[in-house]
């Protein structure tokens, strides 16, 4: 942070600023309240938005869908509202840490100041341009987790890549008559094992693929055919959604906890490409809030 910024913002208003309202951020808010910390939770959409896009889960205790889990954690965040202020609909734009605290600047121009920060901004869908085997002038392509299975029933759809959300979509809609054409590079063949043998999926190993937007709006995919524009999805894995500023990124773009400023605690999927699961994210959020609590108790 630039010199004098701490003085400009004054003393920390909150004990903790939490960036991200997914499972890690919500767990941090609830844990912080349980030990008496005052926090503010910043979420660019709605609390639990990332969970609601998961139609089926098999590794979350007590819940079968991300939506049901989102309802529960949202209710818990509301329950601790006396100690946790929620600022939804205003994205965090950058984060700066100094010796006295952390400042999070918001897209609206406002700023939030706290003694510590838990950053749980998670990941975003990888773009076709970020895949070395795809060349495209087809424009933006939505992630497969946004696909409306009922709208795709009986139609051919193109899914670029065989990452985990493909299996989630199929498990969530076991009786929907889908016809999914799934090209993927040979190096990702292991990712396709989850859906191999599924009769609603055609897996195709390809070395390269060219996407082109036709004059009628349809998308031509090399020799695989032409697809309606609302039946093309990306499923190429994730990229870390790190904030500009004081976050320290590794070579892969993720933000490992051990490399951050002492007042910045990263949690959830932002930490690493490994272990990106709802349960591990939830635990890491609670753990990060406790780290901040003990640091304050020790005089930090």
């Amino acid at each position: 942070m630039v010199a004098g910024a701490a003085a400009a913002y004054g003393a920390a208003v909150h004990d903790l600023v939490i960036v991200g309202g997914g499972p890690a951020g919500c767990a941090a808010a609830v844990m912080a309240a349980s030990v008496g910390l005052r926090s503010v939770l910043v979420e660019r959409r709605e609390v639990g938005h990332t969970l609601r896009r998961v139609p089926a889960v098999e590794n979350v205790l007590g819940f079968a869908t991300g939506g049901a889990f989102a309802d529960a954690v949202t209710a818990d965040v509301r329950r601790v509202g006396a100690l946790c202020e929620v600022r939804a609909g205003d994205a965090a734009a950058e984060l700066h840490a100094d010796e006295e605290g952390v400042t999070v600047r918001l897209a609206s121009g406002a700023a939030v100041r706290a003694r510590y920060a838990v950053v749980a901004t998670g990941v975003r869908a990888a773009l076709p341009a970020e895949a070395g085997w795809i060349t495209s002038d087809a424009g933006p392509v939505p992630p497969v987790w946004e696909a409306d299975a009922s709208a795709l029933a009986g139609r051919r759809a193109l899914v670029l890549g065989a990452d985990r959300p493909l299996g989630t979509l199929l498990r969530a809609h076991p009786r929907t008559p889908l016809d999914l054409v799934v090209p993927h590079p040979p190096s990702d063949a292991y990712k396709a094992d989850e859906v191999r043998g599924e009769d609603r999926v055609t897996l195709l190993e390809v070395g390269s693929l060219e996407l082109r937007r036709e004059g009628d709006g349809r998308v031509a995919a090399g020799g695989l055919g032409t697809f309606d524009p609302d039946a093309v999805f990306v499923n190429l894995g994730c990229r870390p959604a790190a904030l500009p500023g004081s976050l320290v990124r590794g070579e892969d773009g993720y933000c490992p906890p051990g490399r951050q400023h002492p007042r910045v605690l990263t949690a959830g999927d932002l930490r690493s490409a490994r272990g990106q699961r709802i349960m591990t994210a939830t635990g890491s959020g609670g753990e990060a809030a406790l780290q901040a609590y003990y640091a304050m108790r020790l005089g930090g």
Side-chain angles (χ1 to χ4, degrees), residues 8-270:
Y9 286 104
V13 176
H14 305 276
D15 294 316
L16 195 62
V17 55
I18 302 163
V19 186
C26 290
V30 173
M31 181 63 77
S34 76
V35 292
L37 299 186
R38 293 188 174 275
S39 66
V40 56
L41 173 62
V42 177
E43 165 54 46
R44 67 189 182 98
R45 292 177 178 169
E46 62 175 342
V47 173
H49 173 82
T50 56
L51 291 169
R52 296 183 194 284
R53 71 190 189 194
V54 183
V57 293
E58 295 181 335
N59 54 7
V60 177
L61 295 174
F63 297 92
T65 69
F69 189 45
D71 289 341
V73 299
T74 300
D76 281 338
V77 171
R78 290 198 192 101
R79 174 175 55 81
V80 299
L83 287 173
C84 178
E85 174 191 351
V86 176
R87 296 194 183 186
D90 196 357
E94 58 184 67
L95 176 150
H96 296 281
D98 56 68
E99 293 182 1
E100 298 177 2
V102 180
T103 299
V104 175
R105 297 179 185 273
L106 307 181
S108 64
V112 178
R113 180 75 175 164
R115 296 172 68 185
Y116 287 83
V118 172
V119 185
T121 47
V123 294
R124 61 169 177 79
L127 305 174
E130 295 172 317
W133 56 282
I134 297 176
T135 57
S136 173
D137 66 359
V141 179
V144 73
W145 59 64
E146 294 181 1
D148 181 347
S150 61
L152 294 176
R155 302 167 60 200
R156 287 179 75 240
L158 178 68
V159 178
L160 303 170
D163 211 58
R164 283 189 298 117
L166 175 61
T168 301
L169 174 68
L170 294 167
R171 289 195 303 273
H173 305 281
R175 288 178 291 277
T176 302
L178 298 172
D179 180 10
L180 306 180
V181 178
V182 184
H184 65 86
S187 60
D188 285 353
Y190 73 96
K191 296 181 180 180
D193 288 344
E194 181 182 3
V195 298
R196 202 176 301 280
E198 163 68 65
D199 59 10
R200 296 177 293 170
V201 174
T202 302
L203 293 167
L204 300 169
E205 286 193 13
V206 298
S208 62
L209 182 67
E210 179 183 359
L211 301 181
R212 186 179 68 256
R213 183 79 63 175
E214 302 282 271
D216 61 0
R218 303 187 79 206
V219 176
L224 305 184
T226 305
F227 299 82
D228 292 335
D230 62 344
V232 180
F233 303 91
V234 66
N235 187 39
L236 300 167
C238 299
R239 298 292 184 272
L243 289 173
S246 296
L247 284 175
V248 179
R249 308 185 193 199
E251 293 182 359
D252 58 0
Y254 287 89
C255 302
R259 298 185 60 184
Q260 305 307 313
H261 187 282
R263 292 190 178 272
V264 177
L265 305 156
T266 54
D269 292 355
L270 182 64

Side-chain angles (χ1 to χ4, degrees), residues 271-290:
R271 299 171 301 161
S272 168
R274 296 184 177 185
Q276 293 188 357
R277 300 291 190 274
I278 292 172
M279 289 291 283
T280 56
T282 303
S284 73
E287 182 181 16
L290 279 180

